[in-house]
């Protein structure tokens, strides 16, 4: 098997994007749920997100990912809005061959804005396989400062799409 960690620029450009969803879970006070990735050696806060299973509706995938990553059940989250367009991002070149078995150049994401209707005791980030080591409510501006640089433009687009609704 070829070493997928050393792809040429042309090979990377030929790869597809991984279909994915993301969730902007707001607590109604202008704050958004973020978690610190458990597998990162550097601060890497992110909102819940994950792949869409074959044949799965993006909205269903968003509620599934929300449950898997935060323990928040669908009765504690109300869907408010969905981005009209898919939002793409490319992985940094050094990560392309290491993530998702080297099959994707990045992700194409449909983002969902959801209002959290529970309380903090309803959040459980310890469900296996845990993706976050710690979580917090942060403002969009705080999140933009804490996000890994290659995802910042995506988050800027998502927050702009949901402006006035968070």
């Amino acid at each position: 098997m070829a070493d997928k960690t050393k792809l040429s620029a042309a090979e990377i450009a030929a790869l597809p994007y991984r279909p994915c969803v993301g969730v902007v879970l707001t607590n109604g006070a202008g704050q958004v749920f973020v978690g610190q990735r458990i597998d990162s050696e550097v601060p890497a806060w992110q909102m819940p997100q994950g792949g869409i299973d074959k044949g799965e509706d993006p909205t269903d995938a968003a509620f599934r990912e929300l449950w898997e990553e935060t323990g928040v059940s669908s009765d504690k989250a109300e869907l408010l809005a969905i981005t009209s367009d898919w939002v793409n991002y490319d992985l940094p070149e050094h990560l392309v061959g290491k993530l998702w078995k080297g099959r994707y150049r990045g992700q194409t994401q449909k983002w969902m804005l959801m209002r959290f209707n529970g309380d903090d005791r309803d959040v459980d980030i310890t469900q296996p396989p845990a993706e976050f080591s710690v979580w917090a409510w942060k403002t969009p501006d705080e999140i933009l400062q804490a996000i890994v640089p290659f995802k910042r433009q995506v988050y800027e687009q998502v927050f702009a799409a949901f402006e006035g609704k968070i």
Side-chain angles (χ1 to χ4, degrees):
M1 180 181 235
D3 180 4
K4 295 240 180 187
T5 61
K6 297 184 182 178
L7 298 174
S8 70
E11 289 171 317
I12 292 171
L15 291 172
Y17 287 103
R18 177 180 180 241
C20 186
V21 292
V23 177
V24 179
L25 184 67
T26 179
N27 64 6
Q31 297 173 313
V32 175
F33 176 98
V34 287
Q36 166 63 45
R37 289 196 56 88
I38 204 166
D39 60 357
S40 180
E41 296 173 8
V42 298
W45 292 87
Q46 72 177 41
M47 294 181 283
Q49 65 175 54
I52 299 172
D53 294 337
K54 189 170 181 78
E56 188 177 31
D57 176 81
T59 302
D60 293 338
F63 278 106
R64 177 183 51 76
E65 286 293 336
L66 181 66
W67 167 252
E68 290 175 2
E69 295 187 12
T70 70
V72 173
S73 57
S74 61
D75 63 322
K76 303 277 191 221
E78 173 189 1
L79 181 62
L80 301 177
I82 303 172
T83 54
S84 57
D85 296 320
W86 290 82
V87 180
N88 297 340
Y89 77 83
D90 291 323
L91 289 171
E93 193 173 300
H94 71 280
L95 291 178
V96 173
K98 295 179 182 176
L99 297 179
W100 311 305
K101 299 178 183 175
R103 295 186 317 224
Y104 303 103
R105 68 191 279 182
Q107 296 193 91
T108 185
Q109 302 174 313
K110 187 62 91 161
W111 282 86
M112 317 280 167
L113 175 64
M114 296 184 189
R115 171 99 52 234
F116 180 55
N117 294 322
D119 67 42
D120 287 0
R121 292 174 300 202
D122 296 317
V123 176
D124 178 9
I125 61 168
T126 65
Q127 304 179 100
E131 295 200 27
F132 301 128
S133 58
V134 65
W135 69 275
W137 295 109
K138 295 183 181 279
T139 66
D141 286 341
E142 290 170 327
I143 293 170
L144 290 173
Q145 296 306 311
I147 191 68
V148 292
F150 70 89
K151 290 185 182 178
R152 188 167 291 126
Q153 184 177 5
V154 167
Y155 278 34
E156 288 171 345
Q157 284 181 261
V158 170
F159 289 142
F162 297 143
E163 188 172 7
K165 298 177 185 175
I166 294 177

